[in-house]
């Protein structure tokens, strides 16, 4: 067993005294890194934001997400569906109709993302000042 891993293959959580900021990054038996990489990429964030309280078709999502290719949107939706965050509903009509919506778990993720957006909005002025001060020091 790799140094720093726990004996139980099903446990990802740690107590405060065991906390290691990089534990989730190095443990083979914990998928936290993979899940974070999936849900925190820009396309997933946009899809989750757009599906908040909305059911949208593939073409509607593609029109609303500037710069996303058909292939990338397909891949993103498949990953989010596989992870249980998005529900895909196919209607037996011609032409085929497919709708996407957040699952209950996806809705809780949207709430978390919204908290991050709110934090960013609340602190954007401070961040702009910090950036300007840093840029001034670096170029001086």
């Amino acid at each position: 067993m790799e140094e720093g891993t726990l004996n139980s293959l099903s446990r990802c959580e740690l107590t405060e005294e065991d906390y290691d900021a990089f534990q989730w990054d190095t443990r083979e038996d914990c998928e936290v890194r993979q899940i974070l990489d999936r849900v925190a990429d820009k396309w997933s964030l946009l899809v989750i934001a757009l599906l908040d309280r909305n059911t949208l078709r593939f073409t509607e999502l593609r029109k609303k997400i500037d710069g996303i290719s058909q292939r990338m949107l397909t891949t993103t939706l498949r990953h989010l569906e596989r992870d249980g965050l998005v529900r895909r509903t196919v209607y037996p009509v011609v032409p085929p109709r497919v709708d996407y919506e957040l699952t209950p778990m996806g809705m809780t993720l949207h709430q978390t993302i919204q908290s991050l957006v709110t934090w960013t909005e609340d602190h954007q002025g401070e961040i702009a000042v910090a950036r300007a001060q840093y840029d001034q020091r670096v170029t001086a």
Side-chain angles (χ1 to χ4, degrees):
M1 182 172 288
E2 192 175 333
E3 184 179 340
T5 60
L6 299 176
N7 292 332
S8 170
L9 293 178
S10 62
R11 282 195 45 183
C12 289
E13 68 275 359
L14 298 171
T15 63
E16 274 192 43
E17 63 225 24
D18 294 332
Y19 181 75
D20 174 4
F22 294 104
Q23 184 76 15
W24 55 267
D25 195 32
T26 58
R27 287 197 38 219
E28 292 178 20
D29 60 320
C30 186
E31 296 182 6
V32 173
R33 171 68 181 264
Q34 179 190 21
I35 295 167
L36 284 172
D37 286 347
R38 170 84 34 81
V39 300
D41 78 70
K42 72 177 182 176
W43 301 125
S44 294
L45 289 172
L46 288 169
V47 167
I48 292 165
L50 287 169
L51 291 177
D52 178 45
R53 290 176 262 142
N54 293 305
T55 298
L56 296 172
R57 296 175 76 174
F58 183 92
T59 53
E60 294 172 313
L61 282 165
R62 185 149 183 233
K63 286 177 188 174
K64 291 176 182 279
I65 303 175
D66 188 39
I68 195 167
S69 68
Q70 181 172 335
R71 182 171 186 240
M72 182 53 71
L73 180 56
T74 298
T75 300
T76 300
L77 287 166
R78 282 185 185 152
H79 287 158
L80 293 173
E81 181 183 9
R82 182 174 183 252
D83 290 343
L85 301 169
V86 168
R87 180 179 301 115
R88 178 179 184 261
T89 305
V90 180
Y91 296 94
V93 295
V94 177
R97 177 179 168 191
V98 180
D99 287 344
Y100 295 91
E101 63 185 323
L102 291 180
T103 63
M105 184 170 54
M107 288 180 213
T108 64
L109 179 57
H110 181 271
Q111 293 166 355
T112 302
I113 292 167
Q114 187 58 49
S115 295
L116 182 59
V117 170
T118 300
W119 179 90
T120 305
E121 290 170 343
D122 291 347
H123 296 281
Q124 65 185 345
E126 295 167 72
I127 292 169
V129 168
R131 286 178 176 174
Q133 290 171 347
Y134 175 87
D135 292 345
Q136 206 169 35
R137 284 192 317 267
V138 171
T139 58

